[in-house]
Amino acid sequence: KAGVTQTPRYLIKTRGQQVTLSCSPISGHRSVSWYQQTPGQGLQFLFEYFSETQRNKGNFPGRFSGRQFSNSRSEMNVSTLELGDSALYLCASQKQGYNEQFFGPGTRLTVL
Amino acid sequence: SQKIEQNSEALNIQEGKTATLTCNYTNYSPAYLQWYRQDPGRGPVFLLLIRENEKEKRKERLKVTFDTTLKQSLFHITASQPADSATYLCAPSSGSARQLTFGSGTQLTVLP
């Protein structure tokens, strides 16, 4: 069974631009969560989607948004990029009824 | 506010010894606690989950304990190998664990 895939793996943007990251969960997993990882703040929860609905949201500004499609694939968008948005963005999928999350390899975003 | 502390940012041990990692939490009443392993530039990988009514859980060379009175979990790797070198993250969870909150992690280095 294929794991969680994320595209692109690396991205370089400049301040003020916007970016869209994509995540394909493991087949059969309907929950997709997004996390931001930085050296200073560690792994922080952004939001979680299930059946195209956002169920949980972390403490991030409205510039961070996401969505989920009917095939469970998810995208997250960051608008008006700031230098501090440079991070590894991870998505994780979860099978309903189970607690463990399966993470993708992440997208390394660098904002210049 | 909820707080998760993992012992020392870095832990070096000799190959063959037992590594013991600590996860302490405050202002939490987790129903279970998960441990993940993360290698540089990669997403975390689920290792073990222990529930509040379980004192100990084992998987091959890994052992996890959970003391809800002390609000602490210990993660042991016996007969450690250089391949065990990674950052280990704990995540106490309640409810459905869709929104994981991670500790800052302990970077373990097993020296040959």
Side-chain angles (χ1 to χ4, degrees), chain A residues 100-102, chain B residues 34-37 44-49 59:
Chain A
E100 56 265 41
Q101 294 191 6
F102 295 84
Chain B
Q34 302 184 50
W35 284 89
Y36 287 77
R37 166 188 172 140
V45 174
F46 171 78
L47 295 175
L48 279 169
L49 179 151
K59 180 183 174 182

Side-chain angles (χ1 to χ4, degrees), chain A residues 72-109:
Chain A
S72 295
R73 191 177 69 84
S74 177
E75 288 181 347
M76 69 161 280
N77 185 78
V78 187
S79 62
T80 319
L81 284 165
E82 301 177 358
L83 295 178
D85 297 333
S86 295
L88 181 66
Y89 290 88
L90 294 157
C91 104
S93 74
Q94 189 171 6
K95 190 173 181 179
Q96 193 173 4
Y98 292 80
N99 297 307
E100 56 265 41
Q101 294 191 6
F102 295 84
F103 285 81
T107 294
R108 172 74 61 185
L109 172 65

Side-chain angles (χ1 to χ4, degrees), chain B residues 12-18 80 109-112:
Chain B
N12 296 334
I13 63 165
Q14 211 64 40
E15 182 176 5
K17 300 291 186 183
T18 296
S80 59
T109 301
V110 181
L111 304 166

Side-chain angles (χ1 to χ4, degrees), chain A residues 39-70:
Chain A
Q41 298 297 319
L43 251 177
Q44 292 185 288
F45 173 80
L46 281 157
F47 28 66
E48 184 249 351
Y49 287 87
F50 180 85
S51 291
E52 302 178 67
T53 301
Q54 186 181 89
R55 288 199 298 196
N56 294 285
K57 190 176 191 306
N59 189 26
F60 278 83
R63 299 185 297 107
F64 292 81
S65 63
R67 60 177 175 167
Q68 187 180 34
F69 302 95
S70 58

